[in-house]
Amino acid sequence: MKKINRRSFLAAAGLTAAALALTACGGSASSTASSAASSAASSEAASTSAAAELTTVEAGKLTMATNATFPPYEMTTDSGEIEGIDVDTAKAIAEKLGLELQIDDMDFDAALLSVQQGKADIVMAGVTVTDERKAVMDFSDSYATGIQSIIVPGSSDIASPDDLAGKKIGTQRGTTGYIYCSDDFGDDAVVAYDNGLTAVQALNNGQVDAVVIDNAPATEYVAANPGLVILDTSYAEEDYAIGLAKGSSLEDAVNAALEELKADGTLQSIVDKYITAE
């Protein structure tokens, strides 16, 4: 299994950007500038037209359900603002679609249900694509790849996922970490908490032996809690995507916006804003 220390955006984005750069190399400076201006104008016009044709929960808005306890993907600042990689990505998509982003913060399970029940247009909260979820909702193209990591005390005898057998494992309720651990070790071995921070606090208090959670927040939790470490061996690797209601008319528009954001480097800029590569 390839080791990664952060969510990395799909290599296809870089290839697309490179292909676009090669295409632009053939023209003169003036023709390239003219083409760029024309493209920008056409894009703006297309965005306005697309917004008029899109059906959303609230006219003129793209409603995003999230669980803002998942740094650096979604988190609440001291001033009460919600920010993060998913938030900035959603804002960029909304702008491409000519819509205003509205963020609804709630529990993770509720965020998934929100799009299924037509109360939100999209859900972004580090959502993993699984067969079970695909049965009740649709997904955009993947925009990131991540890993589930294992947090343990530095003195723990747990050195690999296999060592979790017979241990109490803390997870965030409704996440793939919870699903994976329940499938592998049984429901009785897993303790579900409302968010990752509470699970880590339980680990510090000796209520669980390990915590399985996405690597990005795991890194931040460990940095804030001396004595805890992340195992070198990851628990699982997975794809992340935007969740939509079954049959959502937004899927094609969201995928087109994502492709543009990958190609022009915006997605990479967003992730680099919040995560420094090691």
Side-chain angles (χ1 to χ4, degrees):
M1 180 178 292
K2 181 181 179 182
K3 299 296 295 171
I4 58 175
N5 291 314
R6 51 172 277 182
R7 293 182 181 182
S8 57
F9 285 87
L10 299 180
L15 293 175
T16 303
L20 290 174
L22 288 173
T23 301
C25 288
S28 66
S30 59
S31 64
T32 300
S34 175
S35 176
S38 175
S39 177
S42 298
S43 178
E44 182 177 354
S47 176
T48 303
S49 175
E53 297 175 1
L54 295 174
T55 301
T56 56
V57 170
E58 186 172 350
K61 294 186 177 182
L62 181 69
T63 303
M64 167 189 171
T66 192
N67 176 227
T69 62
F70 199 67
Y73 280 76
E74 34 269 315
M75 52 204 167
T76 304
T77 66
D78 292 339
S79 63
E81 297 294 320
I82 298 176
E83 65 176 14
I85 293 170
D86 283 348
V87 176
D88 285 8
T89 301
K91 285 180 180 177
I93 291 172
E95 184 177 347
K96 288 282 187 184
L97 302 184
L99 299 169
E100 176 188 350
L101 181 67
Q102 175 174 309
I103 302 172
D104 292 343
D105 184 24
M106 60 194 76
D107 289 341
F108 185 79
D109 280 347
L112 295 178
L113 284 172
S114 189
V115 292
Q116 296 173 43
Q117 297 171 346
K119 297 177 181 178
D121 299 304
I122 61 173
V123 54
M124 294 182 73
V127 180
T128 304
V129 180
T130 68
D131 290 338
E132 291 80 5
R133 288 173 182 167
K134 285 167 69 175
V136 294
M137 59 196 301
D138 286 340
F139 288 94
S140 71
D141 295 334
S142 175
Y143 64 90
T145 301
I147 63 174
Q148 289 290 318
S149 290
I150 304 170
I151 305 174
V152 297
S155 59
S156 175
D157 61 354
I158 299 172
S160 73
D162 291 341
D163 295 332
L164 292 174
K167 306 291 188 180
K168 279 291 182 183
I169 308 165
T171 65
Q172 181 178 351
R173 182 175 291 106
T175 62
T176 48
Y178 171 80
I179 295 169
Y180 297 156
C181 292
S182 296
D183 287 347
D184 291 343
F185 303 105
D187 292 341
D188 292 342
V190 184
V191 183
Y193 296 93
D194 289 338
N195 53 64
L197 178 59
T198 307
V200 171
Q201 290 171 339
L203 179 61
N204 272 328
N205 295 333
Q207 295 168 288
V208 294
D209 301 301
V211 168
V212 174
I213 194 170
D214 184 276
N215 188 65
T219 301
E220 298 216 2
Y221 292 143
V222 166
N225 291 271
L228 299 182
V229 297
I230 298 175
L231 295 188
D232 290 336
T233 305
S234 61
Y235 193 92
E237 296 190 13
E238 51 198 9
D239 290 327
Y240 294 84
I242 300 168
L244 306 101
K246 270 290 186 185
S248 172
S249 60
L250 293 174
E251 185 174 347
D252 288 344
V254 167
N255 278 334
L258 268 178
E259 186 61 31
E260 291 179 19
L261 294 173
K262 292 175 184 178
D264 65 17
T266 300
L267 278 178
Q268 190 62 60
S269 295
I270 290 172
V271 78
D272 287 345
K273 174 182 174 182
Y274 292 97
I275 299 180
T276 300
E278 296 180 356

